[in-house]
Amino acid sequence: MTATIDTGDTGGPAGEANRLRRNSLGVGAVTFLVVSAAAPLTAVAGGVPLSMLMGNGAGIPGTFLVVTALLLVFAVGYVAMARHVANAGAFYAYTARGLGGNLGGAAALIAILSYNCMQIGVFGLFGAATSGLFAGWGLDLPWWVWCFVGIALVGVLGYRRVDLSAKILTVLVLLEYLVVLVVDAAILFKGGDAGLSLAPFTPTQMLSGSPAIGLLFCFAAFIGFEATTIYSEEAREPARTVPRATYISVLIIGLFYMFTSWLMANGAGVDKLVPTLQGLKDPTTFLFGLSDRYVGPLLTQLMNILFVSSLFAGVTAFHNGVARYFYVAGRERLLPEALGVTHPRFQSPHVGSLVQTAIAVLVIALFAATGQDPVLALFSWLTNVGTLGIIVLMALTSASVVAFFTRNPSLEPNALKAKVLPTVAGLALLFIIFQIVTNFGNLSGASGVLGWFLPSLVLIAAVVGYLLAVALKGRDAAAFARLGSQQF
């Protein structure tokens, strides 16, 4: 008996001239594009100290180990499906092929909301950090001015060929890792504050304080790794490139965070860590203080510059993701078809890039005009909404993997990859979604009406996307059937 392969590869309205640039990205390029979205220096300088202070203190390294393992479990089903569905819509495409077009439409709008929130939210921190950096050099400008400068630069990169962005991000990410690894090496060879301790990996430390908050911070630090599949249409041999880049990204990010947070805890002293953080006016200066103590002020000054470049790399990577989701949604007629075109020369999703740029300008202008804080409001509120949305997409994708391979068992006969591990990952992700929703106020600093309205944006986006898919089915059943289809 021959199984029917449900990839939806039925063609589409886009011709060869209206496609993303083929064979332009190898494993290394895709890896650096997604690792840059995770913004490693931003995470260890900003996210890790906050997770230690608000979460489970010195237990954060052990928590990173748990989260890395969970994401590797998720990645098994994720990359198994990536071998059979190559579409720049990624989460949206997988949901459409696995759970149907209506839920695919919901996933598309959640993705567009989430990556916009991540990109624009990180711009808030970028504006604040850049303003502080240049103020120290005598050029004192408001945070929003630097945001607009950054938006213009990112817009140019997004408009042009994707391999240009990849080359720039590769350099920036390598420098980020290098500067942090210098601090890591100094703490390691000097033995930390009072000798190196493995206590951060013990259950006692991992379950101390608020472990749920620590778990959520650690999970948020990985956001961006999942974008490997967004570049599947532009990758060389996507059936091999995307899975390899996904596993490599998870391992690089996870091991780096785990190792660095362990040395940060030992650098301050495991028992002194939380009191030290509590004594800081700004906990995000913690890593820079360790740099001063263990290496010297010259490296700290370089780190301040690279912190800004880390944020720039992050917003560039998220911009690329949003542009491709806009492009796919337009190409497949879920959104206006004008979005679904590529540049005749660069073969980039230039219209989607321009739309995302316009949205970023409008949102940042709104926050600036109303006097909102770029970090406590713009960054905190939007990145937490984005994190919630992306984890919802990951849960939908886990369910989609199970459904897809249940209909097409011959594509992946290994039940562990096709059903068991995706189910385990999906259940774990549902638990994390519950924790984010119930702790959203504590995580984001949003209180009152905002505390429930902001996370509800994900639900609103899902409803809008679902209705758009229903409308598409009514006016063009063939286009609806192609949602999330294979693109080779």
Side-chain angles (χ1 to χ4, degrees):
M1 180 177 179
T2 303
T4 301
I5 300 176
D6 180 22
T7 61
D9 188 9
T10 58
E16 283 295 332
N18 185 35
R19 288 189 170 184
L20 295 169
R21 187 176 183 85
R22 303 299 191 199
N23 300 316
S24 56
L25 301 172
V27 174
V30 174
T31 299
F32 279 108
L33 278 166
V34 300
V35 169
S36 62
L41 179 55
T42 301
V44 297
V48 168
L50 289 172
S51 66
M52 291 172 167
L53 178 62
M54 300 172 62
N56 49 338
I60 287 298
T63 307
F64 270 124
L65 177 61
V66 171
V67 173
T68 302
L70 171 59
L71 291 178
L72 287 173
V73 170
F74 167 79
V76 171
Y78 191 52
V79 301
M81 195 163 179
R83 294 187 177 96
H84 305 287
V85 179
N87 185 299
F91 287 141
Y92 143 71
Y94 291 178
T95 303
R97 301 324 308 169
L99 301 179
N102 290 337
L103 287 178
L109 267 290
I110 292 175
I112 288 171
L113 168 74
S114 301
Y115 284 101
N116 265 299
C117 283
M118 293 300 297
Q119 200 254 11
I120 299 169
V122 173
F123 256 127
L125 186 55
F126 170 82
T130 308
S131 178
L133 178 65
F134 278 89
W137 296 343
L139 183 59
D140 194 359
L141 295 173
W143 64 270
W144 49 266
V145 171
W146 295 109
C147 284
F148 291 139
V149 171
I151 289 172
L153 293 174
V154 169
V156 170
L157 291 175
Y159 192 88
R160 294 175 63 85
R161 288 169 47 172
V162 68
D163 50 344
L164 174 61
S165 292
K167 290 172 183 175
I168 293 173
L169 294 181
T170 297
V171 173
L172 295 179
V173 171
L174 285 174
L175 289 173
E176 287 180 51
Y177 276 107
L178 179 61
V179 73
V180 176
L181 288 174
V182 170
V183 179
D184 287 347
I187 296 173
L188 181 66
F189 291 120
K190 293 182 180 180
D193 180 73
L196 299 175
S197 169
L198 293 177
F201 296 101
T202 63
T204 300
Q205 289 290 345
M206 292 171 62
L207 296 175
S208 65
S210 301
I213 298 294
L215 176 69
L216 298 180
F217 268 104
C218 289
F219 205 99
F222 281 85
I223 295 300
F225 92 92
E226 75 292 337
T228 48
T229 54
I230 290 176
Y231 301 101
S232 59
E233 293 182 38
E234 297 155 280
R236 292 191 287 272
E237 298 182 83
R240 297 176 60 191
T241 298
V242 170
R244 289 179 180 179
T246 302
Y247 284 124
I248 291 171
S249 298
V250 173
L251 289 171
I252 287 176
I253 296 169
L255 293 175
F256 176 73
Y257 287 161
M258 182 180 66
F259 183 67
T260 299
S261 61
W262 173 65
L263 288 170
M264 290 169 70
N266 278 282
V270 172
D271 296 331
K272 301 176 184 177
L273 176 64
V274 174
T276 298
L277 289 167
Q278 290 172 335
L280 295 175
K281 183 179 179 180
D282 179 3
T284 62
T285 61
F286 178 59
L287 179 64
F288 300 96
L290 291 175
S291 174
D292 275 341
R293 175 179 173 183
Y294 286 94
V295 183
L298 286 177
L299 185 73
T300 304
Q301 292 174 20
L302 176 60
M303 192 180 295
N304 276 300
I305 297 171
L306 290 175
F307 181 65
V308 171
S309 73
S310 170
L311 293 164
F312 181 78
V315 293
T316 301
F318 284 124
H319 173 89
N320 286 331
V322 177
R324 279 154 184 76
Y325 272 110
F326 272 131
Y327 162 73
V328 172
R331 179 182 68 189
E332 301 187 2
R333 301 188 64 192
L334 193 65
L335 290 179
E337 290 182 80
L339 289 168
V341 296
T342 55
H343 193 279
R345 176 185 173 191
F346 302 124
Q347 289 183 274
S348 62
H350 66 300
V351 178
S353 175
L354 291 172
V355 170
Q356 201 287 319
T357 298
I359 292 172
V361 168
L362 290 173
V363 174
I364 287 173
L366 175 63
F367 273 77
T370 54
Q372 299 293 335
D373 188 279
V375 178
L376 299 180
L378 181 58
F379 172 73
S380 183
W381 296 352
L382 295 194
T383 55
N384 276 289
V385 172
T387 299
L388 173 60
I390 291 170
I391 296 175
V392 169
L393 290 170
M394 292 175 68
L396 283 171
T397 297
S398 293
S400 300
V401 171
V402 174
F404 180 82
F405 287 121
T406 297
R407 289 199 307 274
N408 304 290
S410 64
L411 295 182
E412 183 49 76
N414 188 326
L416 187 67
K417 294 181 180 180
K419 296 179 181 179
V420 177
L421 293 182
T423 299
V424 171
L427 292 173
L429 291 164
L430 288 176
F431 170 76
I432 292 172
I433 291 167
F434 174 77
Q435 292 294 330
I436 292 177
V437 173
T438 55
N439 290 281
F440 194 86
N442 292 331
L443 286 168
S444 65
S447 59
V449 174
L450 280 176
W452 61 264
F453 174 73
L454 288 173
S456 72
L457 289 174
V458 176
L459 178 60
I460 293 170
V463 171
V464 171
Y466 188 95
L467 294 176
L468 287 172
V470 170
L472 175 62
K473 185 176 183 179
R475 70 177 186 270
D476 189 340
F480 177 82
R482 289 194 297 266
L483 290 179
S485 62
Q486 184 92 315
Q487 297 291 324
F488 281 130

